[in-house]
Amino acid sequence: MTSKLATAVFCLVPLAATAAENSEQPASPFTTSAELGFLYQTGNTKSADIKTGFDLKYEQEKWKSIFEFDLLVKKTETEDEDGDTSMDTSDQKWELVSQTNYTLGVEEKNYVYGNFAYKDDRFSGFENQSSLSLGWGRRWYESETASFDADIGPGFKRDVLKDTDDSSGETSNSFIIQAQALYLRKLNEHVEFRQQFTAKYSPKSGENSTYKAESSITTKLIETLQLKFSFTIDHNTEVEDDKENTDTQTAMTLVYSF
């Protein structure tokens, strides 16, 4: 009897060790989410809109990195002189933003950052816009339900203009001061409000400065699925005469986290 009991204990030891090892595995430093929104309209006006995005975050000890990608495509039915109709692209833009923070000090409120952004808007006056910035930031406020971060630093911005009938596409390189602010607040267990603002100010007269503000409310449907409402304002100070300085975008998307 004793030998049988000893044998059983001996057999269970590897299983217990394996279970303990699995329970002690640290959480992954990566978090990922993807969003998708689609709108199809029929009747007097036929159009189709697709908005999608992908976010990747990495957080390990003093390092924190984010990578964000957003894409918007809109197609609208048009009619030519012969009366034939077709679905033509009326809006198309994509944008990516990447930032890495390194936390400083014992209190872990201050950080230094590096930020890169690239934007391609087919129907704007720019072929593409990109920027690079390095600077300092701080978590100015933090509670159980809210946080506020802001950072600022010098940078470099490159705007490539589209070709026109009057001139070929030109490239504008400029020094900028970049400032960012992010406010997060949990309204309740299932709803979160997010407000983000980014300014890329060019101090030299006549050079383009950009300002972007995005407000969003995210509602959790299930553990990994959320419904997101967002409103974005995008402003350029220097644009072609036939282009608007300010673009706005209102969207509703489903966000899946994994």
Side-chain angles (χ1 to χ4, degrees):
M1 182 69 180
T2 303
S3 60
K4 291 183 178 180
L5 180 59
T7 302
V9 171
F10 180 78
C11 294
L12 290 174
V13 167
L15 298 177
T18 303
E21 182 180 352
N22 293 336
S23 63
E24 293 175 0
Q25 286 183 351
S28 172
F30 292 97
T31 56
T32 309
S33 65
E35 64 178 276
L36 176 65
F38 179 77
L39 174 63
Y40 184 75
Q41 182 177 345
T42 62
N44 295 322
T45 301
K46 292 183 179 180
S47 65
D49 300 58
I50 297 177
K51 185 181 185 306
T52 185
F54 178 84
D55 295 351
L56 175 64
K57 297 180 182 179
Y58 172 86
E59 192 165 0
Q60 184 72 24
E61 297 179 351
K62 293 181 177 293
W63 292 96
K64 180 179 180 181
S65 299
I66 63 167
F67 178 86
E68 300 175 348
F69 173 81
D70 289 295
L71 170 67
L72 173 67
V73 178
K74 180 175 182 178
K75 290 184 176 292
T76 306
E77 184 184 72
T78 58
E79 184 175 337
D80 59 21
E81 297 178 353
D82 299 328
D84 298 327
T85 60
S86 61
M87 295 292 286
D88 296 330
T89 302
S90 55
D91 195 4
Q92 179 177 303
K93 65 183 72 172
W94 64 272
E95 182 176 8
L96 65 85
V97 177
S98 178
Q99 177 162 324
T100 296
N101 299 348
Y102 180 77
T103 305
L104 302 173
V106 179
E107 295 182 351
E108 297 186 346
K109 291 185 177 181
N110 300 298
Y111 60 89
V112 291
Y113 78 88
N115 177 280
F116 173 76
Y118 183 92
K119 182 178 182 180
D120 186 309
D121 189 344
R122 179 174 167 182
F123 290 86
S124 72
F126 302 95
E127 190 70 30
N128 59 71
Q129 295 175 278
S130 57
S131 67
L132 179 67
S133 174
L134 303 171
W136 166 85
R138 179 179 174 85
R139 170 152 291 188
W140 297 93
Y141 174 78
E142 184 174 17
S143 68
E144 293 183 357
T145 59
S147 65
F148 177 72
D149 298 336
D151 52 56
I152 188 170
F156 172 83
K157 183 165 67 66
R158 183 173 183 263
D159 294 340
V160 181
L161 301 176
K162 286 185 178 296
D163 293 336
T164 63
D165 296 334
D166 300 328
S167 63
S168 60
E170 299 179 356
T171 299
S172 173
N173 299 317
S174 58
F175 169 80
I176 60 170
I177 300 296
Q178 178 168 303
Q180 299 181 114
L182 174 63
Y183 176 71
L184 298 173
R185 182 174 184 83
K186 291 184 179 180
L187 303 180
N188 57 46
E189 184 180 355
H190 303 287
V191 181
E192 181 180 79
F193 172 77
R194 174 188 174 101
Q195 177 66 59
Q196 186 168 17
F197 176 77
T198 302
K200 300 176 183 180
Y201 170 69
S202 180
K204 188 175 180 180
S205 177
E207 292 186 342
N208 183 45
S209 299
T210 64
Y211 304 92
K212 182 178 180 179
E214 181 178 359
S215 306
S216 66
I217 293 180
T218 305
T219 303
K220 183 184 294 185
L221 302 178
I222 57 177
E223 188 64 29
T224 58
L225 188 64
Q226 301 168 314
L227 183 63
K228 178 181 176 182
F229 300 89
S230 63
F231 178 72
T232 305
I233 302 174
D234 211 335
H235 180 81
N236 286 272
T237 60
E238 304 293 331
V239 297
E240 299 292 331
D241 293 337
D242 60 339
K243 300 295 182 180
E244 296 289 340
N245 292 84
T246 304
D247 294 327
T248 63
Q249 177 184 297
T250 304
M252 181 176 67
T253 56
L254 286 174
V255 181
Y256 178 73
S257 301
F258 53 95

